[in-house]
C-alpha cells in the first residue's frame, strides 16, 4: 500500500514536471513567433487543465469534464480571435491524461461520453 502511494506521488510529480516543461516550451515558441500576448489564453488554459490532470484521482468525471470544457473553450477562442491553434502541446497532453484516466476507470457509458468529448475537442483544432 505504501509502495502504491509512493508510485502515485512519483507519477504525479513526473507529470507535473513534464507539463511545466511543455508549457514553458510552448510559451517560448509562441512568444517568439506571434508575441507573448497571443500565448496567454492558451497558456492559461494549459495551466488550468494541467492542474486538473494533477488532481484527477478522486473525481475523474468532474475533472475530465471540466478539462474538456476548458480545452473546448480554448479551441473556440483560438478560432474566434485568430490566435495560435489550440490545443497546444501542453493542453493536449493534460487533456489526454484526463480523458485517458477517466476512460480507464469509468463504466462503459460515461467512459464513452468522455472519450467522445475528447474527440470533439481534438476535431475542433482541425
Amino acid at each position: 500500500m505504501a509502495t502504491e502511494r509512493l508510485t502515485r506521488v512519483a507519477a504525479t510529480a513526473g507529470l507535473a514536471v513534464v507539463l511545466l516543461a511543455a508549457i514553458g516550451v510552448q510559451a517560448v515558441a509562441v512568444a517568439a513567433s506571434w508575441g507573448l500576448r497571443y500565448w496567454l489564453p492558451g497558456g492559461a488554459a494549459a495551466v488550468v487543465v494541467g492542474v486538473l490532470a494533477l488532481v484527477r484521482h478522486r473525481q475523474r468525471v468532474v475533472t475530465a469534464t471540466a478539462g474538456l470544457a476548458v480545452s473546448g473553450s480554448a479551441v473556440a477562442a483560438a478560432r474566434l480571435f485568430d490566435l495560435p491553434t489550440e490545443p497546444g502541446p501542453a493542453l493536449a497532453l493534460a487533456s489526454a491524461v484526463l480523458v485517458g484516466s477517466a476512460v480507464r476507470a469509468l463504466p462503459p457509458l460515461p467512459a464513452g461520453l468522455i472519450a467522445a468529448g475528447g474527440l470533439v475537442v481534438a476535431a475542433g483544432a482541425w
Side-chain angles (χ1 to χ4, degrees):
M1 189 159 200
T3 304
E4 186 177 309
R5 180 175 167 86
L6 184 60
T7 302
R8 180 184 286 181
V9 169
T12 300
L15 176 61
V17 168
V18 170
L19 287 171
L20 283 172
I23 290 168
V25 167
Q26 182 180 349
V28 169
V30 173
S33 61
W34 286 68
L36 184 60
R37 69 185 179 104
Y38 287 98
W39 176 78
L40 292 176
V47 169
V48 169
V49 178
V51 168
L52 289 170
L54 294 174
V55 299
R56 73 191 180 281
H57 296 290
R58 292 184 188 257
Q59 295 291 329
R60 293 179 197 273
V61 173
V62 172
T63 56
T65 303
L68 288 173
V70 171
S71 297
S73 297
V75 169
R79 291 281 183 228
L80 186 63
F81 297 110
D82 196 32
L83 297 172
T85 302
E86 289 297 336
L91 184 56
L93 174 62
S95 298
V97 168
L98 285 173
V99 170
S101 177
V103 166
R104 180 178 160 262
L106 294 173
L109 181 60
L113 292 173
I114 296 290
L119 183 60
V120 167
V121 169
W126 290 339

